[in-house]
Amino acid sequence: MKKTSLILIIFLSGIIMAQEIQLAWDLYHSYESFKEKTLVNRRFKHTDIVPLIEQLKNNKILKVEKVGKSVEGRDIYLISLGSGKTKVFLWSQMHGDEPTATAALFDMFNFFSNENEFVEFKKYLLSQLSIYFIPMVNPDGAEQFQRRNIFEIDLNRDVLRQQSPEAITLKNVFDSLKAEYGFNLHDQGRNYAAGNSFNPASISFLAPSADYEKNLTQPRENAMKLIGKLTRILNDFIPGHIAKYSDDYEPRAFGDNFTKWGTSVVLLESGGWRGDREKQFLRKINYVTILSALNNIANGSFVDQDFEMYESIPKNEELMMDVIFRNLKVNKNENSYKIDIGINFEEINVKSAKDFYLKAEIEDIGDLSVFSGYDEFDLSGYTVEPGKTKSEAYSSYDELKKIIPAELYKEGCTNVIIQTEKTDLEYSPHPFNIFLNKLIVPEPKIKTEEAANLIIRKNNEVKFVVVNGFLIDLSNIDAWNGNSLVLGLINETPGF
Ligand SMILES: [Zn+2]
């Protein structure tokens, strides 16, 4: 190739890249006008999306079909649009508690339904592509906000055995389409960092392997190049927060088998983002990413992308914690030593699984300098001891109103006892934990895998307390907006 034509190609691909990044920013800035406003957090259900799907039937560019039913009889829908020769198949929420992309798909349906904006872009996409969506593959899991289906089968381990109706539906649709491109849309745990960057892995990609040897097949190579291109675009939006999911071959998973059967599969995992437990920012990033991907598939520009970009994406590493308290001092006998305390919250579903509360557990103690916290507090110069339980019990819930938290904390206590055996409460808004009578209250301790209740002093005076993992500044107790635990309803009471 002549030098001048090489320069021309580089120049032109630079222009295309700049245009694609501009498009992504245009999508980002106009997002609010397309966002599906009825989906406001992660715990929406099948009943929330059915009316939205029914509305789509009125739009002549979208086709809506029922393609299957869940174990509990909820309809699984296929929504399609476009008349291009390249087929793209996207499916979300095969794990019921992984809804971020589902919400983004409904934002995209609004985007495609709108007749006034991005008209040329949409016309172009739909002339090049035929796009198929299954939003919420696992509606029964979504109902309980749990990963698995109602038989406790992980749908993403059921592509071969085909026992769950949901996995059968997904496989049937895949077989009927034989799409060139597939998007396997998930959420991953918040505890992953992008390599050792100290940033959450907010979006993790993978071009799944089709065999144990992780061989490069043409479909897999295309998926890698497309991911490389998407990473370049996303670097404008969430630099340092993009990671790569483990490429270990899983013979029972959909993505791995779809790759083996000839589709270029992109796994997209929404992880964590600071200050965004409900993942509404990551939902927006999903929207921008998926529309950018469709544009790239339509114009084919990603095939010029080298593999280096994909190779250079840092791996998912389990280096994030919800909270880290750093540089605390523990005094024991005559000695004192320095520790960091890392805490993770577990989300516990409440009743209808429409809501949740948080239950903290100490994840690690010691030198946690390689970890990063969603929230971090440097407590150099402070000493720490475990929060105790006040020995005199209160007779009723009403009596709790009498408690002055600052007084309780000065006694070194973070927990109280009530003389009752029953309550409807699953958690409490009070800045102290509540034990029901008859519960054995073990010795307070600071220990891994146990509860996170701490008293933090400076010059012997209590300055901060930690109740169920939430830090309370004694100079501003009213700012508390965490939740404490009511123990007695829960069968196990580890750590107290
Ligand atoms: Zn998943």
Side-chain angles (χ1 to χ4, degrees), residues 403-467:
I403 296 176
I404 300 166
E407 299 296 321
L408 187 71
Y409 304 150
K410 278 174 192 160
E411 295 172 45
C413 296
T414 52
N415 320 316
V416 301
I417 302 170
I418 303 183
Q419 288 170 330
T420 175
E421 288 162 37
K422 275 192 182 163
T423 176
D424 290 333
L425 287 177
E426 295 184 41
Y427 62 99
S428 154
H430 295 294
F432 43 81
N433 298 299
I434 300 165
F435 290 110
L436 304 186
N437 202 15
K438 287 205 169 174
L439 204 75
I440 300 159
V441 182
E443 281 300 297
K445 53 196 161 190
I446 301 174
K447 199 169 185 308
T448 56
E449 296 179 30
E450 305 227 347
N453 301 304
L454 309 169
I455 299 286
I456 297 168
R457 298 176 193 266
K458 192 170 210 171
N459 301 329
N460 228 14
E461 203 178 317
V462 180
K463 293 287 189 187
F464 297 99
V465 294
V466 172
V467 174

Side-chain angles (χ1 to χ4, degrees), residues 347-359 397 422-429 433-434 436 468 483-491:
E347 289 185 8
I348 313 275
N349 288 329
V350 175
K351 285 176 186 153
S352 62
K354 276 264 182 192
D355 198 3
F356 68 97
Y357 66 92
L358 295 174
K359 185 176 174 213
Y397 279 96
K422 275 192 182 163
T423 176
D424 290 333
L425 287 177
E426 295 184 41
Y427 62 99
S428 154
N433 298 299
I434 300 165
L436 304 186
N468 187 34
N483 70 263
S484 56
L485 301 177
V486 176
L487 294 161
L489 271 186
I490 303 161
N491 293 331

Side-chain angles (χ1 to χ4, degrees), residues 468-479:
N468 187 34
F470 294 97
L471 187 74
I472 301 169
D473 181 344
L474 259 68
S475 65
N476 190 13
I477 295 175
D478 291 344

Side-chain angles (χ1 to χ4, degrees), residues 201-214:
S202 306
I203 296 290
S204 288
F205 288 116
L206 178 72
S209 305
D211 49 46
Y212 283 111
E213 293 73 33
K214 305 178 185 180

Side-chain angles (χ1 to χ4, degrees), residues 15-31 111 117-122 124-125 233 236-237 287-296 298-299:
I15 289 179
I16 291 169
M17 189 68 217
Q19 286 172 342
E20 286 172 350
I21 288 176
Q22 185 56 51
L23 171 72
W25 277 114
D26 291 345
L27 292 166
Y28 183 90
H29 289 305
S30 60
Y31 171 74
F111 173 80
E117 293 178 64
F118 294 93
V119 176
E120 287 307 312
F121 172 56
K122 287 186 282 194
Y124 170 66
L125 280 189
I233 294 168
D236 251 44
F237 296 84
Y287 168 91
V288 172
T289 306
I290 295 169
L291 285 170
S292 296
L294 294 176
N295 183 42
N296 259 276
N299 70 25

Side-chain angles (χ1 to χ4, degrees), residues 118-397:
F118 294 93
V119 176
E120 287 307 312
F121 172 56
K122 287 186 282 194
K123 208 192 296 176
Y124 170 66
L125 280 189
L126 301 184
S127 69
Q128 300 297 309
L129 307 177
S130 292
I131 315 169
Y132 303 85
F133 302 91
I134 299 184
M136 200 183 274
V137 175
N138 181 6
D140 298 352
E143 198 67 20
Q144 308 297 330
F145 206 70
Q146 67 179 29
R147 176 182 176 91
R148 292 162 182 259
N149 87 340
I150 212 71
F151 290 155
E152 285 291 309
I153 290 177
D154 183 336
L155 303 184
N156 208 19
R157 301 292 180 267
D158 199 30
V159 68
L160 299 180
R161 191 170 280 185
Q162 290 278 283
Q163 291 303 295
S164 56
E166 300 90 349
I168 292 169
T169 301
L170 183 55
K171 171 78 162 42
N172 284 347
V173 172
F174 174 83
D175 287 342
S176 72
L177 297 176
K178 293 189 168 51
E180 285 93 328
Y181 297 91
F183 285 82
N184 190 7
L185 304 168
H186 291 253
D187 284 72
Q188 66 179 16
R190 286 161 50 88
N191 55 333
Y192 290 111
N196 54 8
S197 67
F198 295 98
N199 294 323
S202 306
I203 296 290
S204 288
F205 288 116
L206 178 72
S209 305
D211 49 46
Y212 283 111
E213 293 73 33
K214 305 178 185 180
N215 283 315
L216 285 184
T217 59
Q218 191 60 49
R220 187 159 183 241
E221 281 189 19
N222 281 345
M224 287 176 171
K225 287 178 173 179
L226 179 55
I227 290 169
K229 196 68 186 301
L230 295 174
T231 302
R232 286 181 72 182
I233 294 168
L234 281 186
N235 274 338
D236 251 44
F237 296 84
I238 51 168
H241 291 74
I242 303 159
K244 199 158 47 189
Y245 200 81
S246 162
D247 64 354
D248 288 347
Y249 177 57
E250 171 46 76
R252 302 165 300 167
F254 274 88
D256 306 52
N257 282 286
F258 286 1
T259 303
K260 185 154 74 182
W261 298 329
T263 294
S264 294
V265 176
V266 172
L267 171 72
L268 192 163
E269 300 265 355
S270 298
W273 183 261
R274 287 192 172 89
D276 186 30
R277 184 169 274 277
E278 289 301 330
K279 300 199 188 189
Q280 297 303 297
F281 175 69
L282 292 185
R283 163 185 176 181
K284 180 175 175 175
I285 294 296
N286 265 255
Y287 168 91
V288 172
T289 306
I290 295 169
L291 285 170
S292 296
L294 294 176
N295 183 42
N296 259 276
I297 294 169
N299 70 25
S301 65
F302 72 91
V303 296
D304 298 330
Q305 174 71 47
D306 55 37
F307 290 112
E308 274 170 38
M309 191 51 141
Y310 182 82
E311 299 298 340
S312 71
I313 302 171
K315 286 189 179 139
N316 264 350
E317 302 284 357
E318 282 192 75
L319 293 174
M320 294 297 301
M321 293 184 189
D322 279 314
V323 189
I324 300 180
F325 301 115
R326 296 203 185 270
N327 304 314
L328 283 156
K329 218 162 67 171
V330 180
N331 293 325
K332 192 93 179 174
N333 305 330
E334 300 296 289
N335 301 318
S336 86
Y337 50 93
K338 184 168 84 172
I339 56 169
D340 306 326
I341 300 176
I343 286 166
N344 278 335
F345 289 112
E346 185 187 352
E347 289 185 8
I348 313 275
N349 288 329
V350 175
K351 285 176 186 153
S352 62
K354 276 264 182 192
D355 198 3
F356 68 97
Y357 66 92
L358 295 174
K359 185 176 174 213
E361 191 175 279
I362 295 179
E363 181 70 29
D364 205 348
I365 299 168
D367 175 1
L368 304 185
S369 56
V370 301
F371 295 94
S372 181
Y374 282 89
D375 290 305
E376 297 214 3
F377 302 93
D378 183 357
L379 294 167
S380 303
Y382 292 85
T383 60
V384 65
E385 66 202 45
K388 293 187 292 197
T389 303
K390 190 176 166 69
S391 48
E392 310 90 73
Y394 294 85
S395 60
S396 69
Y397 279 96

